[in-house]
Amino acid sequence: RTAEAPVPTKFSDYVRGIGPGIVVALSWLGTGDLINSSVSGANYGYALLWALAIATLARFFVVSALSKYQLCNSQGDQTILDGFERVWRGFPMLLGIFAVLLGFVYHAFLFLAAGTSLYYLFGQFGGDYGIFFFAIVVCAMVIFLATRSKEYRGLEIVAQIAMAFLVITFAYALISSGFDLLAFIRGLFLFEIPPQEGPFGALVIVISIIGAVGGSVANLMYPYFIRDKGWHGPRYRRLQVFDLLFGVVTLIVLNFMVWIVAAELLRGRGDTISAPEDLARMMELAIGPLGPTLMWIAIFFTVFDNISTQLYAFPRMMIEA
């Protein structure tokens, strides 16, 4: 059991207490989310922004409810899995098994994305085996972080660096590409389902956004982070809500910025977004020759945070189950 953290008494204490929300928000933001937002913006402009907002807010309420149970339940349960066991004894084991299986699936493409980002950052070193080589390098880095005595603090540092870099990079791209405020407001509040454009129908994109963002076994990671932060009991509920809300709002802003850049630069051009290389090309259109380098750095930090946090949480979920 981690020692309890100080309970905040003023706003500056709440700001200093922020941490788990950023870690989990970055773990939710993968290359799939970046591609999803880019595809949506390129094919439908601003029209489907409402789906992303609803899905992300739904995730906030789901994860907040999970955290509330851990902090405030009257049964003395330490985690939500204790509560799930009260519903059905076999459910925690089923959940733990799926967490590990999904971990292998996630990491299969996360290591590919991490290796690809370093491959392009280092001038395509290694030729045909370059991506594999850099994936091994990333694996060694993750193992090094996982064996540190203060592993959770290391995750916070990585997430804070990644979040700052992502915000700066995409804000720069947004300023360069322009922004249609009226179209943004319409897309956010009119709940339009436009006719199909491009290879994906609007309804398919809406379902994929809500499915990928709103519901995921990764939502169960956040309670582990707040426990390791030292938040135990109802006294930390307000701090937990503030922390999670900050992370979710930052996640929404990042997705919005990627979406808007794609809507402004790729809408009507016939360009497709299906891989990280396409994101790099989009950033080149936004900010010039420096764009791909910034995009690959952003992808690396995002994916490295994904790998590290899932490696930190999913096996613990299985052991507890």
Side-chain angles (χ1 to χ4, degrees):
R1 181 182 171 99
T2 309
E4 291 192 349
V7 179
T9 58
K10 54 185 182 293
F11 181 74
S12 59
D13 294 336
Y14 283 92
V15 174
R16 282 195 296 269
I18 289 174
I22 294 179
V23 174
V24 79
L26 260 293
S27 73
W28 293 337
L29 179 70
T31 52
D33 289 55
L34 297 176
I35 291 173
N36 218 353
S37 295
S38 301
V39 167
S40 304
N43 289 342
Y44 295 101
Y46 294 85
L48 299 177
L49 281 171
W50 58 270
L52 177 62
I54 289 176
T56 310
L57 290 175
R59 173 173 255 172
F60 167 78
F61 287 112
V62 168
V63 177
S64 185
L66 296 174
S67 305
K68 183 179 181 180
Y69 184 87
Q70 180 167 303
L71 292 174
C72 305
N73 76 87
S74 60
Q75 305 295 326
D77 293 345
Q78 294 299 307
T79 69
I80 190 63
L81 290 189
D82 295 330
F84 287 154
E85 194 268 345
R86 295 177 184 277
V87 178
W88 175 46
R89 190 171 184 179
F91 185 62
M93 179 58 74
L94 186 65
L95 196 62
I97 291 171
F98 275 110
V100 172
L101 292 177
L102 283 172
F104 279 108
V105 174
Y106 289 157
H107 284 83
F109 62 81
L110 287 173
F111 274 107
L112 174 61
T116 301
S117 62
L118 291 182
Y119 174 72
Y120 283 105
L121 279 172
F122 286 92
Q124 303 182 36
F125 172 82
D128 293 340
Y129 294 93
I131 293 176
F132 177 77
F133 168 77
F134 284 113
I136 297 298
V137 171
V138 173
C139 184
M141 295 168 64
V142 170
I143 292 173
F144 175 80
L145 179 62
T147 55
R148 300 301 90 190
S149 59
K150 296 183 178 180
E151 181 187 0
Y152 172 73
R153 180 54 187 158
L155 292 178
E156 276 198 356
I157 293 172
V158 170
Q160 289 165 355
I161 294 172
M163 186 68 80
F165 188 85
L166 284 164
V167 169
I168 293 171
T169 298
F170 290 119
Y172 181 24
L174 179 64
I175 293 170
S176 301
S177 63
F179 175 45
D180 188 335
L181 179 60
L182 182 58
F184 177 83
I185 294 173
R186 286 173 55 87
L188 198 56
F189 296 108
L190 291 188
F191 302 99
E192 295 178 324
I193 300 286
Q196 179 168 341
E197 295 185 33
F200 303 103
L203 189 58
V204 171
I205 289 181
V206 168
I207 293 172
S208 70
I209 290 172
I210 294 175
V213 176
S216 168
V217 72
N219 292 344
L220 294 171
M221 296 193 298
Y222 182 70
Y224 288 93
F225 299 150
I226 65 173
R227 183 169 61 178
D228 292 346
K229 185 72 170 178
W231 299 351
H232 309 290
R235 296 180 301 161
Y236 296 91
R237 171 62 176 167
R238 183 176 294 181
L239 174 59
Q240 175 268 305
V241 172
F242 179 81
D243 170 74
L244 181 61
L245 185 62
F246 180 85
V248 167
V249 168
T250 306
L251 183 63
I252 292 177
V253 170
L254 280 171
N255 274 294
F256 277 174
M257 287 194 289
V258 175
W259 191 308
I260 291 168
V261 170
E264 292 291 339
L265 296 179
L266 304 181
R267 172 83 166 141
R269 290 171 54 101
D271 291 339
T272 59
I273 298 288
S274 59
E277 288 84 354
D278 298 324
L279 293 175
R281 180 168 48 84
M282 181 183 76
M283 292 296 287
E284 185 173 15
L285 291 174
I287 56 181
L290 185 60
T293 299
L294 293 178
M295 189 71 240
W296 289 123
I297 295 174
I299 289 175
F300 171 76
F301 273 119
T302 302
V303 174
F304 186 81
D305 180 82
N306 272 244
I307 296 171
S308 302
T309 52
Q310 291 174 17
L311 181 66
Y312 181 79
F314 282 0
R316 296 175 67 187
M317 216 179 292
M318 179 70 237
I319 295 299
E320 184 181 349

